[in-house]
């Protein structure tokens, strides 16, 4: 199947590491540093636009959604995969400490810790149609976290 795959990340180091992994896997992808809130691509160039674990870190996630819409072809598909920091759980006995750490992470450390709760409405406000919000439980084992 023919196609072109492009990607951006704000971090030059992350882009370099992603490029290294893609090359090692034999994947032809075009990666470059960039801001999700000002994508370095022309209008309506992509059939599919995808963001994973990025919007929660942005000062203006609505702007990133508008950018994803701008670079997608009319009728194109957009996929957004984001964690809900308000429902994180960790397996630590000290309940007060656990709550304090998780609340700090959600409310102070992550700019948009509850983003996914607003995401459906944000997409509709921006004129997206045929939207679907689905929930998954992800378990990070120590082995996975270490990888
Ligand atoms: C949890 S990592 C996810 C990385 C990758 N999307 C993945 O799924 O493996 C969050 C990433 O968001 C990037 N990021 C933060 N703000 C950004 C922005 N304004 N534009 C683009 N990337 C940004 C960070 O550099 C970091 O690599």
């Amino acid at each position: 199947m023919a196609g072109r795959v492009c990607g951006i990340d704000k971090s030059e180091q992350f882009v370099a590491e992603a490029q290294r992994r893609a090359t090692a896997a034999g994947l032809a992808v075009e990666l470059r540093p960039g801001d999700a809130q000002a994508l370095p691509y022309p209008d309506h160039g992509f059939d599919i636009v995808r963001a994973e674990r990025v919007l929660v870190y942005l000062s203006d996630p609505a702007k990133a959604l508008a950018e994803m819409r701008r670079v997608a072809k009319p009728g194109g598909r957009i996929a957004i995969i984001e964690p809900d920091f308000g429902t994180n759980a960790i397996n630590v006995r000290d309940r007060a400490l656990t709550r304090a750490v998780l609340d700090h992470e959600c409310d102070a450390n992550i700019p948009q810790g509850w983003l996914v709760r607003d995401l459906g409405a944000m997409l509709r406000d921006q004129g997206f149609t045929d939207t679907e919000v689905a929930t998954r439980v992800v378990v990070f084992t120590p082995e996975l976290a270490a990888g």
Side-chain angles (χ1 to χ4, degrees), residues 35-128:
D35 186 346
Q37 298 155 128
L39 291 174
Y41 302 114
D43 297 353
H44 311 312
F46 296 100
D47 297 301
I48 298 170
V49 184
R50 178 184 186 279
E52 178 170 349
R53 293 177 299 146
V54 175
L55 272 60
V56 289
Y57 300 105
L58 303 180
S59 57
D60 190 354
K63 177 67 179 145
L65 294 178
E67 281 291 274
M68 294 176 79
R69 185 181 172 89
R70 178 183 67 75
V71 302
K73 290 179 182 173
R77 298 180 71 81
I78 291 182
I80 298 163
I81 303 161
E82 296 293 334
D84 177 22
F85 281 87
T87 51
N88 274 353
I90 52 177
N91 187 17
V92 174
R93 286 282 159 210
D94 187 330
R95 294 186 182 194
L97 177 63
T98 299
R99 290 189 184 109
V101 168
L102 291 177
D103 284 352
H104 177 79
E105 178 78 345
C106 181
D107 298 339
N109 210 25
I110 303 295
Q112 316 290 340
W114 277 19
L115 174 81
V116 292
R117 303 169 193 218
D118 299 326
L119 198 51
M122 289 172 75
L123 290 167
R124 287 190 293 276
D125 286 350
Q126 297 228 3
F128 286 92

Side-chain angles (χ1 to χ4, degrees), residues 2 10 32 44 74 136:
K10 187 179 76 172
R32 65 164 107 164
H44 311 312
R136 300 281 184 278

Side-chain angles (χ1 to χ4, degrees), residues 127-145:
F128 286 92
T129 55
D130 195 14
T131 59
E132 179 188 346
V133 177
T135 303
R136 300 281 184 278
V137 174
V138 179
V139 178
F140 287 94
T141 61
E143 297 76 27
L144 186 61

